[in-house]
Amino acid sequence: MTRGLFVTLEGGDGAGKTTQAQLLAEWLSDRGASVVRTREPGGTEVGALIRDIVLHHRGEVAPRAEALLYAADRAHHIATLVRPALERGDVVIQDRYLDSSVAYQGAGRVLGRDEVRELSLWAAEGLLPDLTVLLDLDPDLARSRLDADDKPFDRLEAEKEVFHAAVRAEFLALATAEPDRFLVMDATRPAAEIAGAVRDRVAGLLEARSGDVGAAD
Ligand code: TYD
């Protein structure tokens, strides 16, 4: 079966995911690839409604309800947008995916990481990325980047420092557990340097893929 490539970007708030997604998308488009840029939460119309609840609702959302809201966004997004794109053979570049759920809902809060991961895998019918770029950044530095942006914090950005430190540690643990899927980059490196390393990995994956297709013919 011909299948596209699924690349996700992960990391704390303010780590530069959007910049890297943009640079990768431009490079791939210039090479003639068909690229879909998307994000969670909020990559679909239904998702935009869910995003509004999880990021902007004032007051408490019970932890299981929050995990289910992210999972609901994911289920709809993967089924209606991401899988069809991959089946067409497109490259999907996505800001945040199930690793964010494990890191934010699993490690930072009262739910266990395994149950959060299982819930996400159920929602996405087992879909895992071909490559996950983790932009690793000290939460204190991330905070000063967000301060410089001069935008109001959303609900999660306003969480305490200890929460962000736990999220960072969980992302790094996830990367250690799945070294083949993850590319960990120091987010303080120049954006062009990070983009170069990401391109190298993506080029390798695309090459391997075209080799597979050749072998199957
Ligand atoms: P957003 O403004 O989209 O992201 P970013 O900080 O990457 O620019 O905010 C998304 C927030 O949602 C972010 O703080 C992480 C959080 N989140 C979860 O807690 N669980 C999830 O499963 C996902 C996808 C995101």
Side-chain angles (χ1 to χ4, degrees):
M1 186 184 83
T2 309
R3 200 179 151 269
L5 198 73
F6 187 25
V7 179
T8 58
L9 293 113
E10 297 281 7
D13 306 303
K17 295 183 295 300
T18 308
T19 304
Q20 289 303 324
Q22 192 62 38
L23 290 171
L24 179 61
E26 279 165 17
W27 179 74
L28 284 164
S29 300
D30 288 349
R31 287 170 48 118
S34 181
V35 178
V36 174
R37 276 272 287 115
T38 187
R39 67 169 180 184
E40 288 185 9
T44 61
E45 247 177 70
V46 168
L49 298 171
I50 298 173
R51 181 183 170 90
D52 200 37
I53 303 173
V54 286
L55 295 189
H56 303 299
H57 170 73
R58 288 173 188 278
E60 202 214 335
V61 179
R64 281 167 196 272
E66 185 183 67
L68 286 163
L69 285 165
Y70 283 110
D73 167 68
R74 182 157 303 138
H76 187 70
H77 183 229
I78 295 300
T80 64
L81 195 144
V82 175
R83 269 192 201 277
L86 294 174
E87 275 158 22
R88 288 195 302 270
D90 294 355
V91 180
V92 176
I93 303 174
Q94 181 170 321
D95 283 24
R96 297 193 182 280
Y97 186 46
L98 88 173
D99 301 299
S100 276
S101 281
V102 177
Y104 284 83
Q105 278 69 56
R109 297 179 183 275
V110 296
L111 303 175
R113 56 178 68 94
D114 291 345
E115 58 184 342
V116 174
R117 183 181 161 91
E118 284 308 309
L119 176 68
S120 270
L121 284 172
W122 178 81
E125 296 181 87
L127 183 68
L128 280 172
D130 298 293
L131 172 66
T132 298
V133 178
L134 172 58
L135 296 170
D136 177 52
L137 184 63
D138 181 316
D140 289 343
L141 278 176
R143 172 52 55 116
S144 49
R145 286 186 182 188
L146 290 170
D147 285 345
D149 277 354
D150 200 25
K151 282 190 306 195
F153 290 145
D154 66 35
R155 215 164 55 79
L156 284 166
E157 285 166 355
E159 293 272 1
K160 291 192 205 60
E161 273 160 50
V162 52
F163 172 76
H164 290 291
V167 167
R168 180 194 194 190
E170 186 57 30
F171 272 131
L172 288 170
L174 286 166
T176 305
E178 285 182 77
D180 290 346
R181 171 161 73 89
F182 275 88
L183 170 65
V184 182
M185 297 301 303
D186 174 351
T188 63
R189 307 298 307 155
E193 198 179 296
I194 298 173
V198 173
R199 281 200 295 268
D200 286 350
R201 273 293 277 270
V202 170
L205 287 167
L206 288 172
E207 220 164 275
R209 186 121 321 172
S210 56
D212 286 352
V213 171
D217 280 344

